[in-house]
Amino acid sequence: MSEEEKEKTYLSNLLIKVDQKIAEINNAIQGKSDEIAEMYKHMQDHKRDMDNLEKNAMREVIRNYTVQGDHSVENRKRLVRLKDTAFFGRIDFQNKVESTIDNLYIGVHNFQDTESKNNLVIDWRAPIASLFYDFELGEAHYFIRLRKMKGNILLKRQFKIRNGEMEYMLDTDLTIHDEVLQKELNKASSSKMKNIVATIQKEQNAIIRNEEARFLIIQGVAGSGKTSIALHRIAFLLYRFKETITSQDMLIISPNKVFASYISNVLPELGEESVAETSVEEIADELLEYQIKFQTFFEQVTTLLEKTDQKLIERIQFKSSKELIKKIDEYYIWLQNDGLKVTDIRVKGKLVPSWFIKESFEKYHRMPLLKRFNEVVREVVENVFRFYKIEIQYKDRTELHNTIRKMFPSYNPKVLYKNFYTWLGRPELFKLKKASTYEWSDVYAFLYFKMKLEGIKPNKKIKHLVIDEMQDYSVVQYQVLKSLYTCPKTILGDINQSVNPFSSSNLEMLEKIFPGAESMTMLKSYRSTYEITEFTKRISQHVNVEALERHGEAPQILAFKNKDAELEAIKKLVADFNASEFNSLGIITKTQKQANTLYESLKMEFQTNLLNAISVSFGSGIVITTAHLAKGLEFDQVIVPYCTDKNYVTDPDRQMLYVACTRTMHKLFLTHVGSPSKFILA
């Protein structure tokens, strides 16, 4: 029997056992369901005869059966997934200590033979499975609870199994053979992010399995798979620390709802429940108790791209800087020392001297400033009773509160925040939009100040926080997030993909905000072909990226005499895409207005999807969107229209163009009328 026939026999026997296990679970679920139905019927038939103790006992049994049933349903889902993909790798490992040879099949989920208790498939997250990712043939080792297990890998084999059928089998002496990786990368895209368990690289595996780092910062170039790796890291941590952490204890801060939808299937594919996701806007809304209207980050970026406003840029830069933090801290100290203008007061005709009020205020210097007033009032009330035997009732106590508060510039954080810029001597830096709407750059600056005035209650429920697109958050935002979430964090992004360079963060800044953080850099891009990656390096000249040797067509820069000719060419490219085997085409513009206009021009002839700020999902087919919303997404083909020297000219424009061009896997087209942007010239 050939090796391939042996492997197919192993697969066939495995699937038989999986089917048997699924049948057992189905029978168990049906049995429990029947018993629950019987108990409900019994309770209904005997509701007058049963006392409360009996009813509660039966309800407890029903609750336990329901929990068991839910667990069985989840287990069945894993087995159904196992039937589809079964395993993707095999290693034969000779243990040096025991001199035994273990034939280990690696898959998405663990599967144990009920009779022999042997593991027929090893979960990719198990310690021994790291051998598959980290070593070639020959000497190898893995760790179990800090114990180093040494041995030799005698065989490494890779498989592609789909719908329970073996499509191919390869023996390899490399961690991941080029042929396997190329097969996966040459596939057409899908509307959801794929799991990468079969093609995790050694450097990626080190990030995924890092247990020690409290703060792990991942700087990865476009297409390096950093978001996918972060999700696999979540799955690993849930597996490794299953006794102390669940999916409900984790949170992802993602850039928008479209991206959240795009990544939503990865964890379920890996056998874990989805993790909640949120945005910095939603966090701000909650912290502000939905009392303040503010511009979104998307709206801020749109404003910057549509026109150059130097005063706006100046406001953004200052309110995103360490300088702002320093000045707010100084202002806060000034408010503490000089803000309270104390005077003698009378309560029920009795004197309360100014020195006592001042002393009481300073006594609680460890408390947030605005929280001290209650304590000052309490001190006054207690001392009036102690010395004068006068009890101050509710109405008089309220009046006392108001009297003491009036000694301070304001008790309203919004007023104090506005006053900050006057105190700074730069009142022009605070500018409300229509309907008293805050600019986006003010939101976290205000939250930082409000946090000092009132304190902040840390979110202790979240035990691990993942922050994606790290470059788009400012130093000020990180200070608030750091205070709100005190848990370990995985922070990832790419400084070359900042959509607002006036408020972005880099690796050096983050390492200062999170002392002791472990930083890892990923320079290899897996998304685009070699030709496309080399082209995008011309756009963002500072990016250090290693192009994978996967070759394809060179990007095409297409020039036209007028806008009508450009539109007709775009329609031709769309028609060609529809006739191809590819699944997705991204038409990526700089601004939302451009995307909207193009959508109106194409929607009558083609089935297209428009992504905007309120979109919540990402589908396959033809998608028209902006570079801002396309971040993190990938397409088989990308068209970038309007690549003129007037449309793409500033540094923010350059970043947008880079983001747009790095979204494609296989083909890239850029169109322009008149002079092309200097960023795409050789």
Side-chain angles (χ1 to χ4, degrees):
M1 188 184 291
S2 70
E3 283 297 302
E4 187 169 343
E5 287 172 327
K6 288 178 184 177
E7 295 293 15
K8 286 183 176 178
T9 301
Y10 186 89
L11 174 61
S12 177
N13 291 336
L14 170 67
L15 294 179
I16 290 169
K17 291 181 184 294
V18 171
D19 278 332
Q20 289 172 347
K21 190 66 178 175
I22 290 173
E24 284 177 25
I25 289 174
N26 285 337
N27 289 335
I29 290 172
Q30 188 59 53
K32 286 284 187 284
S33 180
D34 291 343
E35 286 187 56
I36 289 171
E38 276 295 316
M39 283 187 274
Y40 273 126
K41 185 176 185 304
H42 180 82
M43 288 176 70
Q44 188 63 32
D45 292 344
H46 300 277
K47 58 184 177 184
R48 293 185 178 178
D49 305 333
M50 296 174 70
D51 59 29
N52 285 337
L53 201 61
E54 289 176 290
K55 288 178 183 176
N56 288 337
M58 193 163 281
R59 287 192 188 102
E60 186 61 30
V61 173
I62 290 171
R63 191 157 39 245
N64 289 336
Y65 277 10
T66 303
V67 170
Q68 291 172 26
D70 291 343
H71 180 73
S72 296
V73 168
E74 284 303 312
N75 198 16
R76 183 174 62 188
K77 284 181 186 175
R78 290 189 180 94
L79 291 171
V80 169
R81 279 192 289 265
L82 188 68
K83 271 194 70 174
D84 182 25
T85 55
F87 47 82
F88 54 80
R90 169 184 165 181
I91 48 174
D92 291 358
F93 183 66
Q94 183 178 38
N95 190 305
K96 276 190 176 179
V97 177
E98 300 169 4
S99 297
T100 56
I101 298 176
D102 295 318
N103 303 327
L104 306 169
Y105 288 83
I106 316 296
V108 176
H109 307 301
N110 186 74
F111 182 73
Q112 190 178 70
D113 185 359
T114 308
E115 295 173 7
S116 68
K117 303 300 180 187
N118 291 329
N119 285 319
L120 302 182
V121 180
I122 304 289
D123 192 296
W124 67 278
R125 297 167 292 185
I128 198 169
S130 64
L131 293 168
F132 179 73
Y133 300 113
D134 291 344
F135 294 97
E136 302 169 13
L137 297 183
E139 288 190 1
H141 64 266
Y142 66 98
F143 291 91
I144 295 184
R145 298 182 186 88
L146 302 180
R147 185 183 170 200
K148 191 174 185 179
M149 310 297 290
K150 296 181 180 179
N152 286 289
I153 295 176
L154 307 177
L155 178 143
K156 178 179 281 187
R157 184 168 285 165
Q158 295 171 265
F159 307 90
K160 178 63 179 180
I161 296 169
R162 185 162 51 182
N163 299 325
E165 296 287 331
M166 189 180 296
E167 294 187 357
Y168 61 78
M169 176 189 96
L170 291 168
D171 283 0
T172 176
D173 61 353
L174 296 174
T175 306
I176 295 296
H177 195 280
D178 255 359
E179 192 171 343
V180 176
L181 192 54
Q182 294 286 357
K183 281 177 184 287
E184 292 300 312
L185 295 175
N186 280 320
K187 283 183 178 178
S189 67
S190 67
S191 60
K192 297 285 186 182
M193 182 178 280
K194 305 165 188 171
N195 79 64
I196 58 166
V197 286
T199 56
I200 292 170
Q201 305 291 285
K202 183 176 181 179
E203 67 273 14
Q204 296 172 333
N205 194 45
I207 296 171
I208 290 167
R209 293 175 186 263
N210 187 317
E211 299 176 24
E212 290 77 30
R214 180 168 176 79
F215 306 123
L216 184 63
I217 304 172
I218 307 166
Q219 160 61 36
V221 296
S224 59
K226 52 191 172 292
T227 301
S228 184
I229 288 163
L231 293 169
H232 286 68
R233 174 166 163 75
I234 289 174
F236 172 76
L237 294 173
L238 289 170
Y239 173 88
R240 175 68 180 83
F241 301 106
K242 57 171 87 70
E243 303 302 324
T244 57
I245 193 167
T246 70
S247 58
Q248 282 81 36
D249 302 326
M250 291 187 159
L251 181 67
I252 301 172
I253 298 178
S254 61
N256 53 61
K257 293 295 181 188
V258 172
F259 187 68
S261 164
Y262 179 58
I263 66 174
S264 63
N265 66 303
V266 174
L267 286 170
E269 275 185 10
L270 298 173
E272 300 295 345
E273 291 180 24
S274 292
V275 169
E277 63 81 29
T278 189
S279 66
V280 282
E281 284 94 348
E282 288 173 321
I283 292 169
D285 245 340
E286 194 171 328
L287 290 174
L288 295 170
E289 298 176 329
Y290 307 94
Q291 297 299 307
I292 292 179
K293 290 183 288 185
F294 56 81
Q295 176 192 45
T296 65
F297 180 53
F298 179 83
E299 289 166 342
Q300 183 198 75
V301 172
T302 300
T303 301
L304 288 168
L305 291 172
E306 288 177 349
K307 64 175 182 178
T308 301
D309 183 337
Q310 282 304 134
K311 289 185 177 179
L312 172 60
I313 290 170
E314 187 181 349
R315 292 197 296 273
I316 291 170
Q317 286 176 322
F318 177 70
K319 294 171 188 176
S320 306
S321 67
K322 289 187 290 184
E323 180 67 11
L324 173 104
I325 292 173
K326 179 186 171 190
K327 291 301 180 183
I328 283 181
D329 290 349
E330 289 175 5
Y331 177 55
Y332 183 78
I333 292 169
W334 179 84
L335 285 173
Q336 284 189 112
N337 296 337
D338 302 308
L340 192 70
K341 305 300 182 186
V342 291
T343 58
D344 295 343
I345 61 173
R346 290 192 173 273
V347 179
K348 290 284 189 177
K350 302 298 182 181
L351 177 70
V352 178
S354 60
W355 64 263
F356 179 80
I357 297 170
K358 179 76 170 174
E359 205 173 76
S360 299
F361 184 76
E362 291 173 348
K363 179 179 176 182
Y364 296 97
H365 66 277
R366 294 187 182 278
M367 292 183 72
L369 212 155
L370 295 186
K371 292 288 179 72
R372 298 187 205 174
F373 291 97
N374 287 339
E375 300 304 321
V376 173
V377 169
R378 186 179 56 77
E379 291 273 349
V380 171
V381 168
E382 287 179 358
N383 277 275
V384 166
F385 182 76
R386 182 180 298 125
F387 292 108
Y388 302 116
K389 304 303 178 193
I390 296 173
E391 193 169 329
I392 301 175
Q393 299 301 323
Y394 177 77
K395 182 182 176 184
D396 296 317
R397 191 172 294 204
T398 302
E399 191 177 319
L400 176 61
H401 261 286
N402 292 334
T403 301
I404 292 175
R405 283 179 184 178
K406 284 176 183 175
M407 297 177 185
F408 202 65
S410 176
Y411 197 71
N412 186 333
K414 290 193 290 184
V415 173
L416 291 171
Y417 178 68
K418 183 181 179 182
N419 290 351
F420 161 65
Y421 293 99
T422 304
W423 173 87
L424 195 61
R426 306 209 44 203
E428 75 281 359
L429 286 176
F430 182 74
K431 185 176 180 182
L432 289 174
K433 297 179 74 63
K434 287 181 182 177
S436 299
T437 301
Y438 273 35
E439 290 184 330
W440 175 245
S441 57
D442 276 306
V443 176
Y444 273 81
F446 173 64
L447 278 171
Y448 177 77
F449 181 53
K450 189 171 184 284
M451 182 175 77
K452 294 184 76 67
L453 291 173
E454 300 178 340
I456 190 169
K457 187 177 180 182
N459 187 330
K460 294 295 186 183
K461 184 177 183 331
I462 300 303
K463 296 179 182 175
H464 196 98
L465 181 71
V466 176
I467 303 175
D468 204 352
E469 302 297 349
M470 66 183 187
Q471 70 281 355
D472 286 337
Y473 308 124
S474 69
V475 172
V476 181
Q477 287 172 309
Y478 277 113
Q479 288 294 348
V480 175
L481 294 175
K482 182 180 177 182
S483 299
L484 182 60
Y485 301 103
T486 56
C487 59
K489 297 172 182 67
T490 299
I491 305 168
L492 58 142
D494 178 15
I495 190 60
N496 300 294
Q497 295 184 63
S498 170
V499 293
N500 180 3
F502 308 118
S503 64
S504 60
S505 296
N506 57 37
L507 201 55
E508 185 183 356
M509 290 162 65
L510 286 169
E511 287 171 341
K512 289 178 181 175
I513 296 168
F514 300 101
E518 189 170 332
S519 302
M520 308 188 87
T521 301
M522 301 168 61
L523 299 177
K524 187 176 285 187
S525 177
Y526 298 96
R527 177 183 295 135
S528 304
T529 62
Y530 179 88
E531 289 75 13
I532 292 169
T533 301
E534 287 298 304
F535 175 80
T536 59
K537 285 164 74 173
R538 293 197 334 233
I539 298 170
S540 185
Q541 295 173 342
H542 302 297
V543 65
N544 184 12
V545 57
E546 183 183 337
L548 195 72
E549 289 285 340
R550 178 172 72 87
H551 291 278
E553 295 179 18
Q556 295 184 40
I557 301 173
L558 307 172
F560 302 96
K561 290 183 178 179
N562 54 56
K563 290 182 180 179
D564 289 341
E566 184 178 28
L567 179 59
E568 287 307 309
I570 290 170
K571 288 180 178 179
K572 175 67 167 60
L573 291 171
V574 173
D576 290 346
F577 161 77
N578 280 336
S580 74
E581 295 181 353
F582 291 118
N583 294 332
S584 64
L585 168 66
I587 305 178
I588 305 176
T589 61
K590 189 178 89 167
T591 69
Q592 192 64 50
K593 283 181 181 177
Q594 292 170 347
N596 294 345
T597 302
L598 196 52
Y599 173 70
E600 292 299 323
S601 301
L602 297 178
K603 70 176 184 180
M604 300 302 291
E605 290 184 48
F606 304 100
Q607 180 66 44
T608 56
N609 301 300
L610 176 69
L611 294 188
N612 54 33
I614 61 172
S615 298
V616 294
S617 63
F618 170 65
S620 57
I622 304 159
V623 175
I624 303 175
T625 188
T626 63
H628 183 179
L629 290 176
K631 274 201 311 178
L633 307 179
E634 64 183 21
F635 304 87
D636 291 319
Q637 301 181 18
V638 162
I639 301 170
V640 186
Y642 321 132
C643 292
T644 67
D645 58 352
K646 290 183 174 62
N647 194 32
Y648 288 102
V649 61
T650 66
D651 281 340
D653 295 343
R654 182 200 289 269
Q655 301 277 56
M656 287 295 188
L657 187 59
Y658 177 76
V659 170
C661 293
T662 54
R663 299 307 94 203
T664 186
M665 298 170 65
H666 307 294
K667 291 187 177 184
L668 174 62
F669 306 93
L670 301 95
T671 69
H672 67 90
V673 174
S675 300
S677 168
K678 61 184 177 182
F679 303 138
I680 61 174
L681 296 175

